[in-house]
Amino acid sequence: MKSIQVYQCFCDETRLRILNLLLVGPMCVCHFSEVLGVPQPKVSRHLKALREAGALESKRCYNWTICSLPEAPSALLEVNLKCLQDLRSEEPVFKKDLKKREALMGRLLNQAEELPGQMRCLIEGC
Amino acid sequence: MKSIQVYQCFCDETRLRILNLLLVGPMCVCHFSEVLGVPQPKVSRHLKALREAGALESKRCYNWTICSLPEAPSALLEVNLKCLQDLRSEEPVFKKDLKKREALMGRLLNQAEELPGQMRCLIEGC
DNA sequence: TGCGAATATTCGCTTAAACGAATATTCTGT
DNA sequence: ACAGAATATTCGTTTAAGCGAATATTCGCA
C-alpha cells in the first residue's frame, strides 16, 4: 500500500521540521543541519527517506546539494503539506526553525560574493 | 508533537482497512475480525491504537462494542479520512473489504429478531 | 450466581526505525 | 592529481511496533 510510505514520512519530528522549512523555499543539506541543530548524517538519512517516499527532490549545485519539495507532489502529499503549514501556529519548534532559517539566509546573502554559484542556485532556482 | 500520533495511525494497513470500513458506518469489534479476516486480539490492539490517537470512538451496546469515527475529528484526521475515501478506487483491498462488510450486514439483518438490541445500536446509532 | 460470548491484555518473540560514531564517497577549485 | 568541503553510507546498538498464543476481563442473560 503505497500511501503508507507518505504517512511514514510524517511520523518523525525531524522530517516534519525539514518539510516545514522546505515549505518556505529550497535549502541545502548543510543548512538543515545548522538550522535544526542536528548532526549531518542524521539529516542525510532523513532526507533519503523523504526522497524515497517522493516527498523531496534534490540536485547538486556546485558543492551544495539543494533540496526542495517535489514539483509534482502526489495528492496525498500535497494535502498534508498544507496541513503542516496550518500546524505552524501550534508548534513552537516550527516557528523557531523558521526564525533560524531566516537568520541563516540573511547571513548567507551578506557573503554572497564569496559563494556566488550556490547562492544563485538557491535563490533563483538554478 | 501531537499530530505525529495521527500519522502513526495511518502507517498500518490493518488500521487503514478499519478506518476505510468505518467511513461507511459503525461496526462492532467481532465484525472487523470477520470482515478483515484478522484475529480478534490483533483487531483489538489496533482499535486501541486508533482510540488513543483520537481516531475512533466506541461504546458498549449489549454484548457488542460498537466502533465509529469520532464525532468531532481533528482537522488533520478529517482531511486524511477524506483522502482515504479517495484512495478506495486505487486499493483493491478496500473495495473487497467493503463488499464483505455489505454481505455481513445483510446476513445480520436477516437474523435481526435474534439480536434486536445490538442491531438497533448499530443501525440507529443507539 | 454462574455460564458463555465478546473484548481486552499480557507474554515472549521478531522485525523495523532511529541513532551516534566512524568512515567512505563525491565534487570543486587549485 | 590533490586537498578540503559537503554529503552519503556503514556498523553496532537501542528503542519502538507488531504479532500469535494464551489468558484475563467484562457483560448480558438464564
Side-chain angles (χ1 to χ4, degrees):
Chain A
M1 195 159 310
K2 199 176 157 245
S3 48
I4 289 183
Q5 226 184 345
V6 176
Y7 287 118
Q8 270 168 342
C9 275
F10 282 77
C11 280
D12 182 272
E13 176 162 332
T14 304
R15 288 196 289 269
L16 286 184
R17 289 171 71 193
I18 289 174
L19 292 174
N20 172 57
L21 288 173
L22 286 177
L23 279 167
V24 179
M27 282 182 69
C28 110
V29 181
C30 57
H31 299 148
F32 283 123
S33 186
E34 182 174 345
V35 169
L36 302 178
V38 155
Q40 174 269 323
K42 181 171 168 177
V43 167
S44 200
R45 266 173 311 196
H46 282 301
L47 291 176
K48 184 182 182 184
L50 289 169
R51 211 177 291 122
E52 286 173 352
L56 181 130
E57 289 171 355
S58 57
K59 62 182 170 216
R60 191 85 185 197
C61 212
Y62 296 81
N63 57 342
W64 285 359
T65 295
I66 296 188
C67 302
S68 50
L69 296 176
E71 293 207 24
S74 71
L76 191 57
L77 177 60
E78 195 165 22
V79 160
N80 280 291
L81 287 174
K82 182 77 179 59
C83 288
L84 193 55
Q85 212 155 21
D86 297 339
L87 226 75
R88 227 174 257 167
S89 47
E90 297 174 32
E91 293 291 348
V93 203
F94 287 163
K95 275 188 286 190
K96 207 176 303 179
D97 288 344
L98 290 177
K99 272 233 167 84
K100 280 198 190 173
R101 186 202 130 104
E102 205 174 341
L104 171 63
M105 288 302 169
R107 224 175 316 135
L108 285 176
L109 280 174
N110 284 340
Q111 327 166 333
E113 327 88 61
E114 299 163 33
L115 16 106
Q118 300 100 319
M119 284 308 290
R120 204 178 322 123
C121 289
L122 197 49
I123 297 172
E124 301 166 15
C126 199
Chain B
M1 193 157 310
K2 201 177 153 242
S3 47
I4 290 183
Q5 229 184 343
V6 175
Y7 287 119
Q8 270 168 342
C9 275
F10 283 76
C11 280
D12 182 272
E13 176 162 332
T14 304
R15 289 197 289 270
L16 286 184
R17 289 171 71 193
I18 289 174
L19 292 173
N20 173 56
L21 288 172
L22 286 177
L23 279 167
V24 179
M27 281 182 70
C28 109
V29 181
C30 56
H31 299 148
F32 283 123
S33 185
E34 183 174 342
V35 168
L36 302 178
V38 156
Q40 174 269 323
K42 180 171 168 177
V43 168
S44 201
R45 267 173 311 195
H46 282 303
L47 291 176
K48 184 182 183 184
L50 289 169
R51 212 176 291 122
E52 286 173 351
L56 180 132
E57 289 171 355
S58 58
K59 61 181 171 217
R60 190 84 185 197
C61 212
Y62 296 81
N63 58 342
W64 285 359
T65 296
I66 297 186
C67 302
S68 50
L69 296 176
E71 293 207 24
S74 71
L76 190 58
L77 176 61
E78 196 165 21
V79 160
N80 281 291
L81 287 174
K82 182 78 180 60
C83 288
L84 191 55
Q85 212 155 22
D86 297 340
L87 226 74
R88 225 173 260 168
S89 48
E90 296 173 31
E91 293 290 348
V93 204
F94 288 163
K95 276 189 283 189
K96 207 176 301 179
D97 289 344
L98 290 176
K99 271 233 167 84
K100 279 197 190 172
R101 187 203 129 105
E102 205 174 341
L104 172 63
M105 287 303 168
R107 225 175 315 133
L108 286 175
L109 281 174
N110 285 340
Q111 328 166 331
E113 327 88 60
E114 297 162 36
L115 17 105
Q118 301 100 318
M119 283 309 289
R120 205 177 321 124
C121 289
L122 197 50
I123 297 171
E124 301 166 13
C126 199

